Protein backbone atom coordinates (compact mmCIF):
# COMPACT_ATOMS: atom_id res chain seq x y z
CA UNK A 1 0.00 0.00 0.00
CA UNK A 2 1.26 3.47 -0.86
CA UNK A 3 1.75 5.77 2.10
CA UNK A 4 -0.72 8.65 2.29
CA UNK A 5 2.00 11.16 1.47
CA UNK A 6 2.35 9.60 -1.97
CA UNK A 7 -1.31 10.24 -2.62
CA UNK A 8 -0.46 13.95 -2.41
CA UNK A 9 2.45 14.10 -4.82
CA UNK A 10 3.15 17.66 -5.96
CA UNK A 11 4.51 18.59 -9.37
CA UNK A 12 7.54 20.34 -7.87
CA UNK A 13 8.67 17.16 -6.11
CA UNK A 14 9.14 15.19 -9.34
CA UNK A 15 12.51 16.56 -10.47
CA UNK A 16 14.19 13.50 -8.89
CA UNK A 17 11.61 10.80 -9.61
CA UNK A 18 13.71 7.69 -8.91
CA UNK A 19 12.27 7.03 -5.43
CA UNK A 20 8.73 7.41 -6.72
CA UNK A 21 9.30 5.19 -9.76
CA UNK A 22 10.78 2.42 -7.58
CA UNK A 23 7.86 2.45 -5.15
CA UNK A 24 5.30 2.71 -7.92
CA UNK A 25 6.84 -0.22 -9.78
CA UNK A 26 7.01 -2.32 -6.59
CA UNK A 27 3.36 -1.55 -5.82
CA UNK A 28 2.24 -2.70 -9.28
CA UNK A 29 4.33 -5.87 -9.00
CA UNK A 30 2.67 -6.59 -5.64
CA UNK A 31 -0.75 -6.35 -7.33
CA UNK A 32 0.50 -8.64 -10.10
CA UNK A 33 1.58 -11.18 -7.48
CA UNK A 34 -1.75 -11.38 -5.64
CA UNK A 35 -3.30 -14.83 -5.35
CA UNK A 36 -6.13 -15.39 -7.82
CA UNK A 37 -8.46 -16.25 -4.92
CA UNK A 38 -8.36 -12.61 -3.83
CA UNK A 39 -10.14 -11.50 -7.01
CA UNK A 40 -13.82 -11.66 -7.94
CA UNK A 41 -15.01 -11.53 -11.56
CA UNK A 42 -16.67 -8.18 -12.34
CA UNK A 43 -17.30 -8.67 -16.06
CA UNK A 44 -16.27 -11.08 -18.77
CA UNK A 45 -16.35 -10.94 -22.56
CA UNK A 46 -15.24 -13.52 -25.10
CA UNK A 47 -11.58 -12.54 -24.85
CA UNK A 48 -11.20 -10.20 -21.84
CA UNK A 49 -11.83 -10.78 -18.14
CA UNK A 50 -12.17 -8.03 -15.53
CA UNK A 51 -11.83 -8.80 -11.82
CA UNK A 52 -12.01 -6.56 -8.77
CA UNK A 53 -11.08 -6.48 -5.09
CA UNK A 54 -11.33 -3.84 -2.39
CA UNK A 55 -8.60 -1.22 -2.76
CA UNK A 56 -6.19 -0.54 0.08
CA UNK A 57 -5.73 3.02 -1.21
CA UNK A 58 -9.29 4.37 -1.06
CA UNK A 59 -12.91 3.35 -0.48
CA UNK A 60 -13.43 1.87 -3.96
CA UNK A 61 -12.10 -1.11 -5.89
CA UNK A 62 -8.84 -2.19 -7.51
CA UNK A 63 -9.68 -3.64 -10.93
CA UNK A 64 -7.65 -6.18 -12.87
CA UNK A 65 -8.16 -6.72 -16.61
CA UNK A 66 -6.48 -9.35 -18.76
CA UNK A 67 -6.56 -10.43 -22.38
CA UNK A 68 -4.39 -11.40 -25.33
CA UNK A 69 -3.39 -8.79 -27.91
CA UNK A 70 -1.93 -9.55 -31.33
CA UNK A 71 1.37 -7.65 -31.45
CA UNK A 72 4.68 -7.35 -29.60
CA UNK A 73 4.96 -5.59 -26.19
CA UNK A 74 6.95 -2.60 -27.49
CA UNK A 75 4.34 -1.68 -30.04
CA UNK A 76 1.39 -2.32 -27.71
CA UNK A 77 2.83 -0.19 -24.93
CA UNK A 78 3.64 2.58 -27.42
CA UNK A 79 -0.10 2.78 -28.02
CA UNK A 80 -0.95 2.77 -24.29
CA UNK A 81 1.54 5.16 -22.70
CA UNK A 82 1.41 8.95 -23.16
CA UNK A 83 2.41 9.80 -26.70
CA UNK A 84 1.18 10.37 -30.23
CA UNK A 85 -1.07 7.27 -30.51
CA UNK A 86 -3.26 7.15 -27.40
CA UNK A 87 -5.65 9.97 -28.21
CA UNK A 88 -6.31 8.59 -31.71
CA UNK A 89 -7.80 5.29 -30.57
CA UNK A 90 -8.95 5.50 -26.92
CA UNK A 91 -12.69 6.27 -27.17
CA UNK A 92 -12.89 7.40 -23.52
CA UNK A 93 -10.08 9.97 -23.77
CA UNK A 94 -11.06 13.36 -25.24
CA UNK A 95 -7.81 15.36 -24.81
CA UNK A 96 -4.24 14.77 -23.63
CA UNK A 97 -1.25 17.05 -23.07
CA UNK A 98 2.20 16.15 -21.78
CA UNK A 99 2.84 18.89 -19.20
CA UNK A 100 6.42 17.93 -18.38
CA UNK A 101 8.92 15.36 -19.63
CA UNK A 102 11.26 14.01 -16.96
CA UNK A 103 14.23 11.63 -16.97
CA UNK A 104 14.10 7.83 -16.84
CA UNK A 105 11.11 7.39 -19.14
CA UNK A 106 8.88 9.58 -16.99
CA UNK A 107 6.43 12.37 -17.76
CA UNK A 108 3.45 14.22 -16.34
CA UNK A 109 0.31 14.38 -18.46
CA UNK A 110 -3.07 16.03 -18.21
CA UNK A 111 -6.00 14.30 -19.91
CA UNK A 112 -9.77 14.47 -19.98
CA UNK A 113 -12.37 11.73 -20.36
CA UNK A 114 -15.84 11.70 -21.86
CA UNK A 115 -19.06 11.45 -19.87
CA UNK A 116 -20.30 7.91 -19.26
CA UNK A 117 -23.64 6.16 -18.67
CA UNK A 118 -25.71 8.86 -20.35
CA UNK A 119 -23.62 11.45 -18.48
CA UNK A 120 -24.50 10.09 -15.03
CA UNK A 121 -20.71 10.24 -14.78
CA UNK A 122 -19.75 13.68 -16.10
CA UNK A 123 -16.47 14.34 -17.97
CA UNK A 124 -13.37 14.04 -15.77
CA UNK A 125 -9.89 15.54 -15.77
CA UNK A 126 -6.74 13.79 -14.50
CA UNK A 127 -3.12 14.88 -14.01
CA UNK A 128 -0.89 11.80 -13.84
CA UNK A 129 2.77 10.96 -13.40
CA UNK A 130 3.60 8.20 -15.91
CA UNK A 131 6.56 5.79 -15.96
CA UNK A 132 7.47 3.02 -18.40
CA UNK A 133 10.14 0.41 -17.71
CA UNK A 134 11.27 -3.08 -18.68
CA UNK A 135 9.49 -6.01 -17.03
CA UNK A 136 10.67 -9.58 -17.64
CA UNK A 137 10.70 -9.91 -21.46
CA UNK A 138 8.15 -7.12 -21.87
CA UNK A 139 7.21 -3.76 -20.44
CA UNK A 140 5.37 -2.14 -17.54
CA UNK A 141 3.72 1.25 -17.99
CA UNK A 142 2.42 2.64 -14.72
CA UNK A 143 1.20 5.87 -13.16
CA UNK A 144 -0.36 7.78 -10.29
CA UNK A 145 -2.16 11.11 -10.08
CA UNK A 146 -0.31 14.19 -8.81
CA UNK A 147 -1.43 17.52 -7.40
CA UNK A 148 -1.65 20.30 -9.95
CA UNK A 149 -3.23 23.66 -9.20
CA UNK A 150 -4.55 24.47 -12.66
CA UNK A 151 -7.93 22.87 -13.29
CA UNK A 152 -10.54 23.26 -16.01
CA UNK A 153 -13.75 24.46 -14.37
CA UNK A 154 -15.92 22.34 -16.66
CA UNK A 155 -14.38 19.08 -15.40
CA UNK A 156 -14.38 17.21 -12.10
CA UNK A 157 -10.79 16.35 -11.12
CA UNK A 158 -10.49 12.59 -10.65
CA UNK A 159 -7.61 10.74 -9.00
CA UNK A 160 -5.79 7.62 -10.15
CA UNK A 161 -4.24 5.61 -7.35
CA UNK A 162 -1.30 3.39 -8.41
CA UNK A 163 -2.24 1.80 -11.73
CA UNK A 164 -0.48 0.26 -14.69
CA UNK A 165 -0.25 -2.20 -17.57
CA UNK A 166 2.01 -5.26 -17.81
CA UNK A 167 2.64 -6.48 -21.34
CA UNK A 168 4.70 -9.62 -21.93
CA UNK A 169 5.13 -11.86 -24.97
CA UNK A 170 3.49 -15.27 -24.96
CA UNK A 171 5.75 -18.35 -24.98
CA UNK A 172 4.90 -18.92 -28.65
CA UNK A 173 5.35 -15.26 -29.60
CA UNK A 174 7.62 -16.28 -32.48
CA UNK A 175 4.46 -17.03 -34.44
CA UNK A 176 3.07 -14.49 -36.91
CA UNK A 177 1.51 -12.27 -35.82
CA UNK A 178 3.25 -11.91 -32.47
CA UNK A 179 0.95 -12.18 -29.46
CA UNK A 180 1.24 -10.67 -25.99
CA UNK A 181 -0.55 -10.97 -22.67
CA UNK A 182 -1.78 -7.56 -21.51
CA UNK A 183 -2.74 -7.23 -17.83
CA UNK A 184 -3.94 -3.95 -16.33
CA UNK A 185 -4.52 -2.73 -12.77
CA UNK A 186 -6.75 0.32 -12.35
CA UNK A 187 -8.07 2.03 -9.21
CA UNK A 188 -9.68 5.33 -10.08
CA UNK A 189 -11.44 7.64 -7.64
CA UNK A 190 -13.85 9.48 -9.92
CA UNK A 191 -14.91 11.78 -7.06
CA UNK A 192 -18.14 13.74 -7.07
CA UNK A 193 -21.58 12.45 -6.11
CA UNK A 194 -21.88 9.24 -8.13
CA UNK A 195 -23.80 6.08 -7.15
CA UNK A 196 -21.33 3.28 -6.44
CA UNK A 197 -23.28 0.95 -8.74
CA UNK A 198 -22.73 3.39 -11.62
CA UNK A 199 -19.00 3.54 -10.91
CA UNK A 200 -18.74 -0.26 -10.86
CA UNK A 201 -20.63 -0.62 -14.15
CA UNK A 202 -18.59 2.09 -15.84
CA UNK A 203 -15.18 0.80 -14.74
CA UNK A 204 -15.74 -2.80 -15.85
CA UNK A 205 -17.25 -1.76 -19.20
CA UNK A 206 -14.52 0.81 -19.83
CA UNK A 207 -11.80 -1.82 -19.41
CA UNK A 208 -13.51 -4.22 -21.82
CA UNK A 209 -13.84 -1.40 -24.37
CA UNK A 210 -10.18 -0.47 -23.85
CA UNK A 211 -9.07 -3.82 -25.26
CA UNK A 212 -11.52 -3.59 -28.16
CA UNK A 213 -10.31 -0.10 -29.13
CA UNK A 214 -6.64 -1.03 -28.72
CA UNK A 215 -6.89 -4.17 -30.85
CA UNK A 216 -8.72 -2.29 -33.58
CA UNK A 217 -6.08 0.47 -33.62
CA UNK A 218 -3.16 -1.98 -33.81
CA UNK A 219 -4.84 -3.91 -36.61
CA UNK A 220 -5.40 -0.77 -38.67
CA UNK A 221 -1.88 0.59 -38.24
Amino acid sequence: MFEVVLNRIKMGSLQEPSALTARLQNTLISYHSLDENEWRVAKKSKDVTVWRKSSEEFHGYLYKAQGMVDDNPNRIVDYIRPGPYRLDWDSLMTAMDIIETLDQGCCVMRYTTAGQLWNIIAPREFVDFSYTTDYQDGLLSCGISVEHEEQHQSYVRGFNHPCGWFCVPTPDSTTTPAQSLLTGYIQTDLRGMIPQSAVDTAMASTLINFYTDLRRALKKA
Side-chain angles (χ1 to χ4, degrees), residues 113-126:
T113 59
Q116 301 175 70
L117 298 178
W118 303 281
N119 231 36
I120 292 174
I121 300 175
R124 267 15 187 208
E125 176 189 49
F126 297 87

Side-chain angles (χ1 to χ4, degrees), residues 24-218:
L24 184 58
Q25 182 176 346
N26 288 339
T27 297
L28 266 296
I29 290 173
S30 74
Y31 297 159
H32 206 42
S33 303
L34 288 170
D35 190 276
E36 62 182 32
N37 293 328
E38 296 194 41
W39 300 96
R40 296 292 178 267
V41 173
K43 189 165 185 175
K44 195 170 186 177
S45 71
K46 182 178 67 174
D47 46 17
V48 180
T49 302
V50 178
W51 299 264
R52 75 179 189 186
K53 68 180 295 294
S54 295
S55 172
E56 296 183 2
E57 303 292 339
F58 75 124
H59 62 276
Y61 290 104
L62 167 63
Y63 288 86
K64 172 183 177 179
Q66 190 170 76
M68 304 299 297
V69 179
D70 288 339
D71 220 313
N72 64 72
N74 285 324
R75 192 157 179 268
I76 293 169
V77 172
D78 272 345
Y79 272 69
I80 292 175
R81 62 185 170 190
Y85 301 116
R86 181 68 180 269
L87 193 59
D88 289 339
W89 66 264
D90 191 336
S91 59
L92 184 64
M93 191 175 288
T94 55
M96 183 186 71
D97 296 299
I98 296 178
I99 300 173
E100 187 173 359
T101 300
L102 305 166
D103 293 335
Q104 307 168 32
C106 309
C107 71
V108 178
M109 66 171 177
R110 179 199 286 118
Y111 67 96
T112 56
T113 59
Q116 301 175 70
L117 298 178
W118 303 281
N119 231 36
I120 292 174
I121 300 175
R124 267 15 187 208
E125 176 189 49
F126 297 87
V127 178
D128 286 5
F129 169 81
S130 177
Y131 170 59
T132 300
T133 187
D134 293 335
Y135 176 78
Q136 295 182 354
D137 293 327
L139 293 168
L140 164 63
S141 185
C142 50
I144 186 173
S145 286
V146 298
E147 287 189 0
H148 186 60
E149 293 180 1
E150 294 182 15
Q151 181 174 348
H152 295 296
Q153 296 303 312
S154 55
Y155 292 93
V156 176
R157 174 69 62 82
F159 190 96
N160 285 314
H161 294 273
C163 56
W165 294 92
F166 292 86
C167 191
V168 295
T170 59
D172 57 349
S173 59
T174 55
T175 60
T176 302
Q179 197 172 55
S180 301
L181 179 65
L182 181 64
T183 308
Y185 298 89
I186 306 295
Q187 47 187 341
T188 300
D189 186 352
L190 292 172
R191 297 178 173 172
M193 302 299 291
I194 310 172
Q196 187 61 46
S197 59
V199 174
D200 296 342
T201 299
M203 290 300 297
S205 298
T206 294
L207 287 166
I208 296 286
N209 292 339
F210 182 93
Y211 280 80
T212 301
D213 290 347
L214 175 60
R215 288 167 174 154
R216 184 183 298 121
L218 288 165

